[in-house]
Amino acid sequence: MDIFTTAQRSKIMSKIRAKDTKSEVLLAKALWKRGHRYRKHSKSIFGTPDLSFKKYKIAIFVDSEFFHGKHWDIIEKRPKNNAEFWQKKIERNMQRDNEVNVFLIQSGWTVLRFWSNDIKKNLFTTVRTIEKHIEEIHNRIYFK
């Protein structure tokens, strides 16, 4: 049972962002400070990654745990209200994420997906992971 009225819940849900989430902004600023230049939400790349490096064909997605189904198969606190809707929505999001990954990888892209809470807890590790991929691809391109 929801503790909020339908109108209150609607207002709360309307505040959830699809772009420029706190985790995404945190990661983007950290990469920018380290001298990395990227594109945000490039519609020319399939799946519209949150951050992308076209030069290196790296697509970065920052996924929220709830909407992208982290531990969906074992999660205990699934939504009780409108459960069928949420199950379909989250499972479709997970399916779409997989379709995007497959397409981009088959097109020669490196796909990096990070959970938003992991970015908040381990920002430096996340940045270093991205930098390692950039370095690896840079060396492959320029030092064949």
Side-chain angles (χ1 to χ4, degrees):
M1 181 169 192
D2 200 352
I3 61 172
F4 298 106
T5 66
T6 304
Q8 288 171 321
R9 175 61 63 198
S10 180
K11 185 175 180 179
I12 290 168
M13 295 304 285
S14 73
K15 301 293 181 199
I16 296 174
R17 296 172 168 224
K19 293 181 180 178
D20 296 325
T21 62
K22 289 179 183 178
S23 299
E24 185 183 321
V25 170
L26 186 67
L27 179 59
K29 285 183 176 182
L31 288 167
W32 193 270
K33 282 182 182 177
R34 292 182 61 89
H36 300 290
R37 301 301 179 248
Y38 49 79
R39 291 285 171 255
K40 291 172 60 175
H41 310 290
S42 178
K43 291 179 183 175
S44 66
I45 303 169
F46 183 75
T48 315
D50 297 311
L51 303 172
S52 59
F53 297 89
K54 279 190 174 181
K55 178 179 181 179
Y56 300 117
K57 291 186 112 178
I58 296 175
I60 300 168
F61 295 89
V62 178
D63 296 334
S64 73
E65 285 74 6
F66 177 76
F67 287 102
H68 291 268
K70 183 175 185 181
H71 303 306
W72 186 246
D73 50 341
I74 59 171
I75 195 166
E76 292 178 14
K77 292 189 176 183
R78 288 189 182 189
K80 304 244 185 308
N81 286 353
N82 210 359
E84 186 179 334
F85 166 80
W86 285 110
Q87 181 173 353
K88 284 181 181 177
K89 178 171 183 58
I90 292 169
E91 287 177 355
R92 176 62 185 127
N93 287 349
M94 292 166 42
Q95 180 185 4
R96 187 180 314 106
D97 291 344
N98 189 46
E99 291 167 2
V100 167
N101 290 352
V102 168
F103 180 87
L104 289 175
I105 290 167
Q106 288 177 347
S107 301
W109 284 77
T110 298
V111 178
L112 302 175
R113 287 191 176 272
F114 299 100
W115 296 112
S116 58
N117 285 338
D118 291 344
I119 291 171
K120 291 175 190 172
K121 291 176 185 173
N122 304 307
L123 179 61
F124 181 75
T125 304
T126 305
V127 170
R128 281 302 300 144
T129 300
I130 294 167
E131 288 179 333
K132 286 178 184 175
H133 282 279
I134 291 170
E135 291 167 16
E136 178 185 311
I137 294 169
H138 177 83
N139 290 339
R140 202 175 328 134
I141 293 171
Y142 294 105
F143 302 109
K144 288 184 179 181

